[in-house]
Amino acid sequence: EVQILESGGDLVQPGGSLRLSCAGSGFAFSTYAMSWVRQAPGKGLEWVAGMSGSGDRSSHADSVKGRFAITRDNSNNMLFLQMNSLRAEDTAIYYCARDRAAGGMFGWFDPWGQGTLVTVSS
Amino acid sequence: DIQMTQSPSSLSASVGERVTITCRASQDINIYLGWYQQKPGKAPELLIYAASSLQSGVPSRFSGSGSGTDFSLIISGLQPEDFATYYCQQVNSFPYTFGQGTKLEIK
């Protein structure tokens, strides 16, 4: 069974840092692109960052560029999001999501994890 | 960035009805469009990819159409479990962008 499980969400002060983790199981992790998508309370979905299966390609939303960095460790089937210089507007549920198909960066996400909550507040 | 605009923002319908949700892209995205369903407190689920391809396990009452800038999600014969929020997403180019969502409520 394919499973995706996020962790690392917490309450952090403005200007602080946090590292989110995402564990994938039940599939050939290194062959699938992965992404982070966030959802502020009561709001819509916002794609944050994505990385190819091999880790040689990545992209970040303008709203987080220079502050957040997506990385992966294929030997341990893990995806990460390093979040620095956090702002109140980064408060959201952060979902980890797998591309629906292996072998490229297609961008349609299936499945998603259950999400982890990041709250940025003093 | 490519802007995705959904209409309507909310919709009331009855069980058994056919409903259509539309999504317009600010530029040509070919067929690089997907649709998701999200229920309260849950992660989104992929319904349609490549504008009209049904994701595995999704009921056939869901269908998608369109290309270029104009797309539609059609639900034929609403079921009680279909009342949720629906999002379109373009994957033609980075950054991937979502529509603002359409909340489908029971009439």
Side-chain angles (χ1 to χ4, degrees):
Chain A
E1 181 190 1
V2 174
Q3 289 194 330
I4 292 174
L5 185 63
E6 306 95 334
S7 61
D10 204 348
L11 171 63
V12 61
Q13 292 190 341
S17 296
L18 205 59
R19 188 195 199 202
L20 304 183
S21 300
C22 168
S25 62
F27 62 100
F29 188 80
S30 66
T31 66
Y32 284 85
M34 302 288 294
S35 281
W36 290 97
V37 178
R38 69 184 179 183
Q39 187 168 36
K43 302 298 184 182
L45 302 170
E46 180 187 16
W47 176 83
V48 173
M51 178 167 272
S52 63
S54 65
D56 63 342
R57 291 180 61 198
S58 67
S59 182
H60 296 74
D62 287 347
S63 59
V64 305
K65 204 169 288 183
R67 300 188 300 124
F68 291 10
I70 187 172
T71 60
R72 63 191 296 159
D73 175 1
N74 285 342
S75 62
N76 288 298
N77 294 352
M78 296 291 294
L79 181 77
F80 303 101
L81 185 68
Q82 179 65 43
M83 310 165 68
N84 299 328
S85 303
L86 281 160
R87 305 166 180 167
E89 55 263 36
D90 295 318
T91 295
I93 296 172
Y94 284 74
Y95 294 102
C96 175
R98 192 197 76 173
D99 262 29
R100 65 164 295 278
M105 289 189 81
F106 304 105
W108 294 300
F109 305 135
D110 180 78
W112 299 52
Q114 85 292 344
T116 189
L117 178 62
V118 173
T119 303
V120 184
S121 176
S122 55
Chain B
D1 298 1
I2 298 174
Q3 308 303 315
M4 306 300 294
T5 304
Q6 287 182 232
S7 60
S9 295
S10 63
L11 175 61
S12 294
S14 302
V15 172
E17 275 191 48
R18 170 187 164 107
V19 299
T20 300
I21 298 169
T22 64
C23 181
R24 175 165 287 178
S26 61
Q27 63 189 72
D28 189 337
I29 60 169
N30 199 332
I31 61 166
Y32 297 111
L33 189 283
W35 291 97
Y36 297 85
Q37 177 193 69
Q38 186 179 32
K39 297 180 179 178
K42 301 293 187 181
E45 294 185 355
L46 180 65
L47 301 173
I48 301 286
Y49 65 96
S52 61
S53 296
L54 194 67
Q55 174 66 357
S56 176
V58 175
S60 59
R61 63 180 179 274
F62 292 93
S63 64
S65 66
S67 66
T69 61
D70 293 308
F71 302 87
S72 296
L73 172 70
I74 299 164
I75 312 172
S76 302
L78 274 171
Q79 297 300 301
E81 61 268 29
D82 299 337
F83 292 94
T85 300
Y86 294 85
Y87 294 93
C88 63
Q89 178 208 11
Q90 69 81 20
V91 298
N92 180 74
S93 62
F94 290 119
Y96 300 147
T97 46
F98 291 88
Q100 80 279 14
T102 294
K103 187 173 184 179
L104 178 55
E105 299 175 307
I106 300 175
K107 184 183 287 184

